[in-house]
Amino acid sequence: MMEKLEILTASAKYDVACTSSGASRSGQPGGLGNAVSMGICHSFAADGRCISLLKILMTNGCIYDCAYCVNRKSNPTRRAAFTPEEIANLTMQFYRRNYIEGLFLSSGIMRSPDYTTEQLIAALELLRNVYNFRGYIHVKAIPGADDVLLSRLGLLADRMSVNIELPSQESLNRLAPDKSKQSILKPMGLIKSKITENSSDLVKYKHAPRFAPAGQSTQMIVGATPDTDYQILNLTEGLYKKYGLKRIFYSAYTPVVEDSLLPALDTKPPLLREHRLYQADWLLRFYGFEAKELLDEAAPNFNPLLDPKCSWAINHREQFPVEINRAPYETLLRVPGIGVRSAQRILKARKAGSLDFYALKKLGVVLKRAQFFITCKGKPLEGLKVGEHTLLRSLMSGQELAQFQQPEVEQLSFFDDSYMAALPEAGRAATFRKGG
Amino acid sequence: MFKTTTLAYTYDGSFEGLLCCVFESYEWKETPLAIHSDGDGQGLLLESKWIETDSVKAGRVLRSIPLKISPEAEELVRLGFWSNVADKEMLLLNFLYLGFTHGRKVMNMLADDTVSALNKAVQQLRREGHHYLGFVRFSVYGPVMAAVIEPRGYILPVIEDHFCDRFQNESFMIYDKTHGMALLHQPGRQAIIPLQEWIPPEPDEAEAAYRRLWQGFYNAIGIKERKNDRLRASLMPKRYWKQLPEMNGNAPALPALPARQGQTASRVKSGQQRKLQ
């Protein structure tokens, strides 16, 4: 059992989704568990990633041969498979001990997409209907499976996801010849329409079974192909809008198999790039930004030294400074150093009296960055000197850089063009502010 | 007008007792320089006034909070009392002064030193409470499950509903070693009671096997190319590790340190456990 668990965990670890948020379900007598909408992390792995779900594959045997995948048919790796009973039992035992918030179940393709989906359904039915498990379940929809099967699966799970993996058709063709854009988007569309249909059923019938109440998500591999951040972010935006996705995950490519089409095995995963994409994703979902505001054809990649919001602010200095005591919420959100919580606190505290810089600090605003972009009662921070170097140094997230420190050579060379282009640009901004 | 005196108040350390300190302060229109509970070491420089706990006085103060300030203020005060911030008594007294002066508006005065300090203390308590939703580890001993935690703040009431809802069918205990309290649950009933000392029994074979499987899972899920000890330690601070099977190797049980036991026992004598309720 231990060996199986280790094999099927190791083969699942490159799937990044590990949130347990979005579903809310209370416990019930005779059942075990509940689901909490804010999500709960139960542990953190040595790489610092949250563990909230028992993340395993049903089997790592696969009939496909995707070049980037550790489980590809042609990769000589140890194979194993769980039975539905083993999965259900392990989930229950881990859940009782409060090791996990629920199950994340994916699988290699055994025999056919339909057969694989039937096995996943069997495991989930055991959990839900025999063990009365009410905890969180995230399950992978298998591209190419029958609609009827996918619909049954979605009624047993809290979240369903189909991985896009590669952000363009061209990259898919090259690296995942068994998959097509169509085979990925079709189940995604089905899940979306089932969720929509279900929400109108819920209005009509109070007890209609819920279809993937925590929505659907997907993930993309970053750095295995030449796709730019701009392409990835545009795709992201489209997916949020068209398919109503709840989350998109980005996974810095870690070479696992030798392949002439892929970066060499000793390539370090581009963690900083992944981090920047998550930051930008956040800006799309919670800060009212659009992809085209953050990147364009001319500068298609994020600056490694500045976070996307700082980069944007520096290039849009005509919109600053912002007056803290009057600016609407949406405008406050665009100031570097002011996040959703700070902005909400500012609105609340403004009701009790006007705010100065000292007050902002107590509200948790990161003045180190915000000071260059705001005024309080019409005045900028007293004694604030904006030189070419102070501005840049203050905006650069040194800590982030250190935290995600990878051999700089690889990291910077990836960004070579944008890195060189962004610095003089930022320098000009600093000069401008000093003069103006 | 209130005068600040060279007095310190001493009370029994209970929530009601603190409310009586507030009552006393208003009755005599005096602001003490410090408030000590009889358990902690008291300031020697100040003259000390013993405040007797009186549930009638406490009730009057408590009822006035939602009435004169807001219901949210009452919650803030309760949670503030459970936090482990230094000088929490004076902080709460100052907050109530402000509240009784400004009314509902005090909840928006986030830039005020007192309000901001209290909010921070409560945030910290809530964050720790949220951490423990994930970091509690039960061991299964036959028909019952038990967990040991060592939180800084008194978070049992914060996590109570979550676990009782989640494990409705189970009989379980969460033992808070720091405060000498335990949350007990059986199907249909629950309570938080003082518990001076509890040493977990040795796990049986099945329990030990699931711990090992969990450790195996934990080790297999990390990606070595992304190893980041600093990030992990910031998200899961080391003070939690002692009670996490995945972080302490193959330790069969969770041995209690002798020094700690001594402390716990002495706390019982001073009766501090009961004060938390």
Side-chain angles (χ1 to χ4, degrees), chain A residues 104-134:
Chain A
F104 174 109
L105 186 59
S106 178
S107 183
I109 314 292
M110 335 168 221
R111 292 190 223 171
S112 72
D114 280 354
Y115 177 78
T116 309
T117 307
E118 278 165 10
Q119 293 297 302
L120 295 174
I121 291 174
L124 266 49
E125 273 181 343
L126 260 181
L127 271 169
R128 291 289 197 222
N129 304 336
V130 177
Y131 290 95
N132 291 319
F133 178 66
R134 293 173 66 77

PDB file of all heavy atoms in Angstrom, chain A residues 104-134:
ATOM      1  N   PHE A 104      -8.383  14.791  -4.141  1.00  0.00           N
ATOM      2  CA  PHE A 104      -8.156  15.262  -5.509  1.00  0.00           C
ATOM      3  C   PHE A 104      -7.829  14.021  -6.311  1.00  0.00           C
ATOM      4  O   PHE A 104      -6.801  13.396  -6.092  1.00  0.00           O
ATOM      5  CB  PHE A 104      -6.986  16.246  -5.538  1.00  0.00           C
ATOM      6  CG  PHE A 104      -6.569  16.680  -6.924  1.00  0.00           C
ATOM      7  CD1 PHE A 104      -6.826  17.968  -7.359  1.00  0.00           C
ATOM      8  CD2 PHE A 104      -5.894  15.822  -7.784  1.00  0.00           C
ATOM      9  CE1 PHE A 104      -6.427  18.382  -8.621  1.00  0.00           C
ATOM     10  CE2 PHE A 104      -5.505  16.220  -9.052  1.00  0.00           C
ATOM     11  CZ  PHE A 104      -5.772  17.512  -9.464  1.00  0.00           C
ATOM     12  N   LEU A 105      -8.711  13.657  -7.221  1.00  0.00           N
ATOM     13  CA  LEU A 105      -8.511  12.399  -7.935  1.00  0.00           C
ATOM     14  C   LEU A 105      -8.368  12.630  -9.431  1.00  0.00           C
ATOM     15  O   LEU A 105      -9.227  13.231 -10.075  1.00  0.00           O
ATOM     16  CB  LEU A 105      -9.694  11.456  -7.672  1.00  0.00           C
ATOM     17  CG  LEU A 105      -9.556  10.038  -8.233  1.00  0.00           C
ATOM     18  CD1 LEU A 105      -8.331   9.342  -7.672  1.00  0.00           C
ATOM     19  CD2 LEU A 105     -10.815   9.230  -7.936  1.00  0.00           C
ATOM     20  N   SER A 106      -7.236  12.168  -9.937  1.00  0.00           N
ATOM     21  CA  SER A 106      -6.986  12.251 -11.364  1.00  0.00           C
ATOM     22  C   SER A 106      -6.563  10.854 -11.814  1.00  0.00           C
ATOM     23  O   SER A 106      -6.462   9.949 -10.999  1.00  0.00           O
ATOM     24  CB  SER A 106      -5.883  13.281 -11.623  1.00  0.00           C
ATOM     25  OG  SER A 106      -5.580  13.342 -12.995  1.00  0.00           O
ATOM     26  N   SER A 107      -6.301  10.714 -13.083  1.00  0.00           N
ATOM     27  CA  SER A 107      -5.879   9.388 -13.528  1.00  0.00           C
ATOM     28  C   SER A 107      -5.213   9.443 -14.884  1.00  0.00           C
ATOM     29  O   SER A 107      -5.515  10.314 -15.706  1.00  0.00           O
ATOM     30  CB  SER A 107      -7.098   8.452 -13.606  1.00  0.00           C
ATOM     31  OG  SER A 107      -6.659   7.151 -13.963  1.00  0.00           O
ATOM     32  N   GLY A 108      -4.314   8.503 -15.092  1.00  0.00           N
ATOM     33  CA  GLY A 108      -3.849   8.258 -16.445  1.00  0.00           C
ATOM     34  C   GLY A 108      -5.000   7.613 -17.205  1.00  0.00           C
ATOM     35  O   GLY A 108      -5.977   7.162 -16.595  1.00  0.00           O
ATOM     36  N   ILE A 109      -4.885   7.592 -18.532  1.00  0.00           N
ATOM     37  CA  ILE A 109      -5.992   7.015 -19.299  1.00  0.00           C
ATOM     38  C   ILE A 109      -5.789   5.505 -19.399  1.00  0.00           C
ATOM     39  O   ILE A 109      -4.852   5.037 -20.038  1.00  0.00           O
ATOM     40  CB  ILE A 109      -6.052   7.610 -20.724  1.00  0.00           C
ATOM     41  CG1 ILE A 109      -5.902   9.126 -20.688  1.00  0.00           C
ATOM     42  CG2 ILE A 109      -7.332   7.182 -21.438  1.00  0.00           C
ATOM     43  CD1 ILE A 109      -7.046   9.854 -20.075  1.00  0.00           C
ATOM     44  N   MET A 110      -6.697   4.720 -18.756  1.00  0.00           N
ATOM     45  CA  MET A 110      -6.625   3.264 -18.884  1.00  0.00           C
ATOM     46  C   MET A 110      -7.619   2.842 -19.967  1.00  0.00           C
ATOM     47  O   MET A 110      -8.753   3.285 -19.960  1.00  0.00           O
ATOM     48  CB  MET A 110      -7.023   2.537 -17.615  1.00  0.00           C
ATOM     49  CG  MET A 110      -6.860   3.305 -16.335  1.00  0.00           C
ATOM     50  SD  MET A 110      -7.678   2.467 -14.960  1.00  0.00           S
ATOM     51  CE  MET A 110      -8.394   3.873 -14.134  1.00  0.00           C
ATOM     52  N   ARG A 111      -7.164   2.008 -20.842  1.00  0.00           N
ATOM     53  CA  ARG A 111      -7.993   1.483 -21.949  1.00  0.00           C
ATOM     54  C   ARG A 111      -8.622   2.582 -22.783  1.00  0.00           C
ATOM     55  O   ARG A 111      -8.298   2.751 -23.944  1.00  0.00           O
ATOM     56  CB  ARG A 111      -9.103   0.555 -21.433  1.00  0.00           C
ATOM     57  CG  ARG A 111      -8.544  -0.733 -20.860  1.00  0.00           C
ATOM     58  CD  ARG A 111      -9.647  -1.726 -20.584  1.00  0.00           C
ATOM     59  NE  ARG A 111      -9.420  -2.375 -19.294  1.00  0.00           N
ATOM     60  CZ  ARG A 111     -10.284  -3.168 -18.692  1.00  0.00           C
ATOM     61  NH1 ARG A 111     -11.465  -3.396 -19.234  1.00  0.00           N
ATOM     62  NH2 ARG A 111      -9.966  -3.722 -17.555  1.00  0.00           N
ATOM     63  N   SER A 112      -9.554   3.341 -22.208  1.00  0.00           N
ATOM     64  CA  SER A 112     -10.216   4.397 -22.976  1.00  0.00           C
ATOM     65  C   SER A 112     -10.671   5.490 -22.008  1.00  0.00           C
ATOM     66  O   SER A 112     -10.772   5.243 -20.806  1.00  0.00           O
ATOM     67  CB  SER A 112     -11.444   3.827 -23.688  1.00  0.00           C
ATOM     68  OG  SER A 112     -12.452   3.566 -22.722  1.00  0.00           O
ATOM     69  N   PRO A 113     -10.943   6.684 -22.525  1.00  0.00           N
ATOM     70  CA  PRO A 113     -11.455   7.746 -21.649  1.00  0.00           C
ATOM     71  C   PRO A 113     -12.734   7.325 -20.920  1.00  0.00           C
ATOM     72  O   PRO A 113     -12.900   7.631 -19.743  1.00  0.00           O
ATOM     73  CB  PRO A 113     -11.718   8.897 -22.619  1.00  0.00           C
ATOM     74  CG  PRO A 113     -10.746   8.680 -23.733  1.00  0.00           C
ATOM     75  CD  PRO A 113     -10.647   7.190 -23.873  1.00  0.00           C
ATOM     76  N   ASP A 114     -13.617   6.599 -21.596  1.00  0.00           N
ATOM     77  CA  ASP A 114     -14.867   6.176 -20.960  1.00  0.00           C
ATOM     78  C   ASP A 114     -14.609   5.215 -19.795  1.00  0.00           C
ATOM     79  O   ASP A 114     -15.161   5.366 -18.711  1.00  0.00           O
ATOM     80  CB  ASP A 114     -15.790   5.480 -21.970  1.00  0.00           C
ATOM     81  CG  ASP A 114     -16.532   6.491 -22.829  1.00  0.00           C
ATOM     82  OD1 ASP A 114     -16.403   7.706 -22.540  1.00  0.00           O
ATOM     83  OD2 ASP A 114     -17.216   6.079 -23.786  1.00  0.00           O
ATOM     84  N   TYR A 115     -13.756   4.225 -20.051  1.00  0.00           N
ATOM     85  CA  TYR A 115     -13.469   3.246 -19.001  1.00  0.00           C
ATOM     86  C   TYR A 115     -12.863   3.940 -17.781  1.00  0.00           C
ATOM     87  O   TYR A 115     -13.230   3.689 -16.638  1.00  0.00           O
ATOM     88  CB  TYR A 115     -12.520   2.164 -19.530  1.00  0.00           C
ATOM     89  CG  TYR A 115     -12.140   1.162 -18.475  1.00  0.00           C
ATOM     90  CD1 TYR A 115     -13.029   0.147 -18.116  1.00  0.00           C
ATOM     91  CD2 TYR A 115     -10.914   1.240 -17.814  1.00  0.00           C
ATOM     92  CE1 TYR A 115     -12.698  -0.765 -17.128  1.00  0.00           C
ATOM     93  CE2 TYR A 115     -10.574   0.335 -16.829  1.00  0.00           C
ATOM     94  CZ  TYR A 115     -11.477  -0.668 -16.490  1.00  0.00           C
ATOM     95  OH  TYR A 115     -11.136  -1.561 -15.497  1.00  0.00           O
ATOM     96  N   THR A 116     -11.917   4.854 -18.041  1.00  0.00           N
ATOM     97  CA  THR A 116     -11.266   5.577 -16.960  1.00  0.00           C
ATOM     98  C   THR A 116     -12.298   6.356 -16.152  1.00  0.00           C
ATOM     99  O   THR A 116     -12.289   6.343 -14.910  1.00  0.00           O
ATOM    100  CB  THR A 116     -10.218   6.553 -17.539  1.00  0.00           C
ATOM    101  OG1 THR A 116      -9.380   5.840 -18.433  1.00  0.00           O
ATOM    102  CG2 THR A 116      -9.395   7.178 -16.447  1.00  0.00           C
ATOM    103  N   THR A 117     -13.201   7.035 -16.861  1.00  0.00           N
ATOM    104  CA  THR A 117     -14.208   7.828 -16.169  1.00  0.00           C
ATOM    105  C   THR A 117     -15.122   6.938 -15.322  1.00  0.00           C
ATOM    106  O   THR A 117     -15.488   7.288 -14.200  1.00  0.00           O
ATOM    107  CB  THR A 117     -15.030   8.634 -17.195  1.00  0.00           C
ATOM    108  OG1 THR A 117     -14.123   9.373 -18.010  1.00  0.00           O
ATOM    109  CG2 THR A 117     -15.979   9.580 -16.516  1.00  0.00           C
ATOM    110  N   GLU A 118     -15.445   5.760 -15.841  1.00  0.00           N
ATOM    111  CA  GLU A 118     -16.277   4.839 -15.060  1.00  0.00           C
ATOM    112  C   GLU A 118     -15.598   4.445 -13.752  1.00  0.00           C
ATOM    113  O   GLU A 118     -16.241   4.330 -12.711  1.00  0.00           O
ATOM    114  CB  GLU A 118     -16.596   3.580 -15.886  1.00  0.00           C
ATOM    115  CG  GLU A 118     -17.766   3.794 -16.836  1.00  0.00           C
ATOM    116  CD  GLU A 118     -17.858   2.701 -17.905  1.00  0.00           C
ATOM    117  OE1 GLU A 118     -17.140   1.687 -17.789  1.00  0.00           O
ATOM    118  OE2 GLU A 118     -18.644   2.889 -18.846  1.00  0.00           O
ATOM    119  N   GLN A 119     -14.279   4.235 -13.814  1.00  0.00           N
ATOM    120  CA  GLN A 119     -13.542   3.893 -12.593  1.00  0.00           C
ATOM    121  C   GLN A 119     -13.565   5.049 -11.594  1.00  0.00           C
ATOM    122  O   GLN A 119     -13.712   4.841 -10.392  1.00  0.00           O
ATOM    123  CB  GLN A 119     -12.092   3.547 -12.941  1.00  0.00           C
ATOM    124  CG  GLN A 119     -11.943   2.270 -13.743  1.00  0.00           C
ATOM    125  CD  GLN A 119     -12.435   1.060 -12.960  1.00  0.00           C
ATOM    126  OE1 GLN A 119     -11.949   0.772 -11.876  1.00  0.00           O
ATOM    127  NE2 GLN A 119     -13.441   0.375 -13.501  1.00  0.00           N
ATOM    128  N   LEU A 120     -13.403   6.274 -12.099  1.00  0.00           N
ATOM    129  CA  LEU A 120     -13.436   7.435 -11.215  1.00  0.00           C
ATOM    130  C   LEU A 120     -14.814   7.535 -10.554  1.00  0.00           C
ATOM    131  O   LEU A 120     -14.937   7.790  -9.350  1.00  0.00           O
ATOM    132  CB  LEU A 120     -13.146   8.729 -11.995  1.00  0.00           C
ATOM    133  CG  LEU A 120     -11.749   8.863 -12.616  1.00  0.00           C
ATOM    134  CD1 LEU A 120     -11.657  10.117 -13.480  1.00  0.00           C
ATOM    135  CD2 LEU A 120     -10.676   8.914 -11.535  1.00  0.00           C
ATOM    136  N   ILE A 121     -15.850   7.308 -11.360  1.00  0.00           N
ATOM    137  CA  ILE A 121     -17.211   7.357 -10.825  1.00  0.00           C
ATOM    138  C   ILE A 121     -17.388   6.311  -9.721  1.00  0.00           C
ATOM    139  O   ILE A 121     -17.958   6.583  -8.661  1.00  0.00           O
ATOM    140  CB  ILE A 121     -18.252   7.132 -11.953  1.00  0.00           C
ATOM    141  CG1 ILE A 121     -18.268   8.337 -12.891  1.00  0.00           C
ATOM    142  CG2 ILE A 121     -19.644   6.892 -11.374  1.00  0.00           C
ATOM    143  CD1 ILE A 121     -19.152   8.162 -14.114  1.00  0.00           C
ATOM    144  N   ALA A 122     -16.828   5.116  -9.954  1.00  0.00           N
ATOM    145  CA  ALA A 122     -16.967   4.049  -8.958  1.00  0.00           C
ATOM    146  C   ALA A 122     -16.366   4.470  -7.618  1.00  0.00           C
ATOM    147  O   ALA A 122     -16.965   4.256  -6.554  1.00  0.00           O
ATOM    148  CB  ALA A 122     -16.302   2.770  -9.473  1.00  0.00           C
ATOM    149  N   ALA A 123     -15.193   5.097  -7.657  1.00  0.00           N
ATOM    150  CA  ALA A 123     -14.545   5.526  -6.413  1.00  0.00           C
ATOM    151  C   ALA A 123     -15.384   6.589  -5.711  1.00  0.00           C
ATOM    152  O   ALA A 123     -15.599   6.551  -4.494  1.00  0.00           O
ATOM    153  CB  ALA A 123     -13.149   6.055  -6.708  1.00  0.00           C
ATOM    154  N   LEU A 124     -15.864   7.557  -6.485  1.00  0.00           N
ATOM    155  CA  LEU A 124     -16.625   8.650  -5.887  1.00  0.00           C
ATOM    156  C   LEU A 124     -17.981   8.192  -5.366  1.00  0.00           C
ATOM    157  O   LEU A 124     -18.471   8.679  -4.342  1.00  0.00           O
ATOM    158  CB  LEU A 124     -16.800   9.795  -6.909  1.00  0.00           C
ATOM    159  CG  LEU A 124     -15.755  10.913  -6.832  1.00  0.00           C
ATOM    160  CD1 LEU A 124     -14.357  10.361  -6.793  1.00  0.00           C
ATOM    161  CD2 LEU A 124     -15.916  11.904  -7.963  1.00  0.00           C
ATOM    162  N   GLU A 125     -18.576   7.222  -6.071  1.00  0.00           N
ATOM    163  CA  GLU A 125     -19.871   6.717  -5.591  1.00  0.00           C
ATOM    164  C   GLU A 125     -19.721   5.998  -4.264  1.00  0.00           C
ATOM    165  O   GLU A 125     -20.565   6.116  -3.382  1.00  0.00           O
ATOM    166  CB  GLU A 125     -20.501   5.791  -6.644  1.00  0.00           C
ATOM    167  CG  GLU A 125     -21.318   6.574  -7.653  1.00  0.00           C
ATOM    168  CD  GLU A 125     -21.992   5.697  -8.701  1.00  0.00           C
ATOM    169  OE1 GLU A 125     -21.587   4.524  -8.858  1.00  0.00           O
ATOM    170  OE2 GLU A 125     -22.912   6.212  -9.355  1.00  0.00           O
ATOM    171  N   LEU A 126     -18.621   5.249  -4.145  1.00  0.00           N
ATOM    172  CA  LEU A 126     -18.357   4.599  -2.856  1.00  0.00           C
ATOM    173  C   LEU A 126     -18.275   5.638  -1.746  1.00  0.00           C
ATOM    174  O   LEU A 126     -18.900   5.503  -0.693  1.00  0.00           O
ATOM    175  CB  LEU A 126     -17.016   3.870  -2.927  1.00  0.00           C
ATOM    176  CG  LEU A 126     -16.995   2.369  -3.160  1.00  0.00           C
ATOM    177  CD1 LEU A 126     -15.553   1.898  -3.163  1.00  0.00           C
ATOM    178  CD2 LEU A 126     -17.775   1.676  -2.054  1.00  0.00           C
ATOM    179  N   LEU A 127     -17.499   6.680  -1.993  1.00  0.00           N
ATOM    180  CA  LEU A 127     -17.299   7.703  -0.972  1.00  0.00           C
ATOM    181  C   LEU A 127     -18.605   8.395  -0.615  1.00  0.00           C
ATOM    182  O   LEU A 127     -18.954   8.523   0.554  1.00  0.00           O
ATOM    183  CB  LEU A 127     -16.298   8.753  -1.475  1.00  0.00           C
ATOM    184  CG  LEU A 127     -14.827   8.473  -1.189  1.00  0.00           C
ATOM    185  CD1 LEU A 127     -13.950   9.432  -1.955  1.00  0.00           C
ATOM    186  CD2 LEU A 127     -14.544   8.598   0.304  1.00  0.00           C
ATOM    187  N   ARG A 128     -19.312   8.833  -1.638  1.00  0.00           N
ATOM    188  CA  ARG A 128     -20.500   9.645  -1.371  1.00  0.00           C
ATOM    189  C   ARG A 128     -21.676   8.806  -0.897  1.00  0.00           C
ATOM    190  O   ARG A 128     -22.369   9.194   0.034  1.00  0.00           O
ATOM    191  CB  ARG A 128     -20.920  10.399  -2.646  1.00  0.00           C
ATOM    192  CG  ARG A 128     -19.971  11.508  -3.084  1.00  0.00           C
ATOM    193  CD  ARG A 128     -20.015  12.697  -2.153  1.00  0.00           C
ATOM    194  NE  ARG A 128     -19.420  13.883  -2.784  1.00  0.00           N
ATOM    195  CZ  ARG A 128     -18.615  14.725  -2.162  1.00  0.00           C
ATOM    196  NH1 ARG A 128     -18.297  14.551  -0.899  1.00  0.00           N
ATOM    197  NH2 ARG A 128     -18.139  15.782  -2.802  1.00  0.00           N
ATOM    198  N   ASN A 129     -21.887   7.663  -1.549  1.00  0.00           N
ATOM    199  CA  ASN A 129     -23.133   6.940  -1.283  1.00  0.00           C
ATOM    200  C   ASN A 129     -23.003   5.821  -0.262  1.00  0.00           C
ATOM    201  O   ASN A 129     -23.959   5.488   0.412  1.00  0.00           O
ATOM    202  CB  ASN A 129     -23.723   6.385  -2.586  1.00  0.00           C
ATOM    203  CG  ASN A 129     -23.939   7.495  -3.608  1.00  0.00           C
ATOM    204  OD1 ASN A 129     -24.070   8.661  -3.226  1.00  0.00           O
ATOM    205  ND2 ASN A 129     -23.959   7.150  -4.886  1.00  0.00           N
ATOM    206  N   VAL A 130     -21.814   5.236  -0.153  1.00  0.00           N
ATOM    207  CA  VAL A 130     -21.659   4.155   0.808  1.00  0.00           C
ATOM    208  C   VAL A 130     -21.088   4.686   2.133  1.00  0.00           C
ATOM    209  O   VAL A 130     -21.596   4.431   3.205  1.00  0.00           O
ATOM    210  CB  VAL A 130     -20.768   3.033   0.240  1.00  0.00           C
ATOM    211  CG1 VAL A 130     -20.550   1.938   1.280  1.00  0.00           C
ATOM    212  CG2 VAL A 130     -21.397   2.460  -1.032  1.00  0.00           C
ATOM    213  N   TYR A 131     -20.030   5.498   2.028  1.00  0.00           N
ATOM    214  CA  TYR A 131     -19.409   6.036   3.246  1.00  0.00           C
ATOM    215  C   TYR A 131     -20.048   7.341   3.714  1.00  0.00           C
ATOM    216  O   TYR A 131     -19.676   7.881   4.747  1.00  0.00           O
ATOM    217  CB  TYR A 131     -17.922   6.283   3.031  1.00  0.00           C
ATOM    218  CG  TYR A 131     -17.080   5.030   2.898  1.00  0.00           C
ATOM    219  CD1 TYR A 131     -16.770   4.499   1.655  1.00  0.00           C
ATOM    220  CD2 TYR A 131     -16.578   4.402   4.030  1.00  0.00           C
ATOM    221  CE1 TYR A 131     -15.978   3.364   1.539  1.00  0.00           C
ATOM    222  CE2 TYR A 131     -15.786   3.272   3.926  1.00  0.00           C
ATOM    223  CZ  TYR A 131     -15.487   2.756   2.674  1.00  0.00           C
ATOM    224  OH  TYR A 131     -14.707   1.641   2.565  1.00  0.00           O
ATOM    225  N   ASN A 132     -20.974   7.903   2.943  1.00  0.00           N
ATOM    226  CA  ASN A 132     -21.598   9.193   3.265  1.00  0.00           C
ATOM    227  C   ASN A 132     -20.582  10.299   3.511  1.00  0.00           C
ATOM    228  O   ASN A 132     -20.690  11.080   4.460  1.00  0.00           O
ATOM    229  CB  ASN A 132     -22.503   9.058   4.494  1.00  0.00           C
ATOM    230  CG  ASN A 132     -23.709   8.231   4.176  1.00  0.00           C
ATOM    231  OD1 ASN A 132     -24.293   8.362   3.099  1.00  0.00           O
ATOM    232  ND2 ASN A 132     -24.085   7.352   5.095  1.00  0.00           N
ATOM    233  N   PHE A 133     -19.589  10.357   2.671  1.00  0.00           N
ATOM    234  CA  PHE A 133     -18.539  11.364   2.809  1.00  0.00           C
ATOM    235  C   PHE A 133     -19.020  12.715   2.305  1.00  0.00           C
ATOM    236  O   PHE A 133     -19.492  12.832   1.178  1.00  0.00           O
ATOM    237  CB  PHE A 133     -17.310  10.903   2.010  1.00  0.00           C
ATOM    238  CG  PHE A 133     -16.169  11.881   2.022  1.00  0.00           C
ATOM    239  CD1 PHE A 133     -15.498  12.155   3.216  1.00  0.00           C
ATOM    240  CD2 PHE A 133     -15.768  12.525   0.862  1.00  0.00           C
ATOM    241  CE1 PHE A 133     -14.437  13.055   3.225  1.00  0.00           C
ATOM    242  CE2 PHE A 133     -14.702  13.426   0.874  1.00  0.00           C
ATOM    243  CZ  PHE A 133     -14.040  13.685   2.065  1.00  0.00           C
ATOM    244  N   ARG A 134     -18.927  13.727   3.159  1.00  0.00           N
ATOM    245  CA  ARG A 134     -19.407  15.057   2.780  1.00  0.00           C
ATOM    246  C   ARG A 134     -18.269  16.077   2.643  1.00  0.00           C
ATOM    247  O   ARG A 134     -18.495  17.287   2.579  1.00  0.00           O
ATOM    248  CB  ARG A 134     -20.419  15.561   3.811  1.00  0.00           C
ATOM    249  CG  ARG A 134     -21.702  14.745   3.800  1.00  0.00           C
ATOM    250  CD  ARG A 134     -22.639  15.121   4.921  1.00  0.00           C
ATOM    251  NE  ARG A 134     -23.163  16.484   4.811  1.00  0.00           N
ATOM    252  CZ  ARG A 134     -24.137  16.840   3.975  1.00  0.00           C
ATOM    253  NH1 ARG A 134     -24.671  15.963   3.161  1.00  0.00           N
ATOM    254  NH2 ARG A 134     -24.568  18.088   3.967  1.00  0.00           N
TER     255      ARG A 134
END
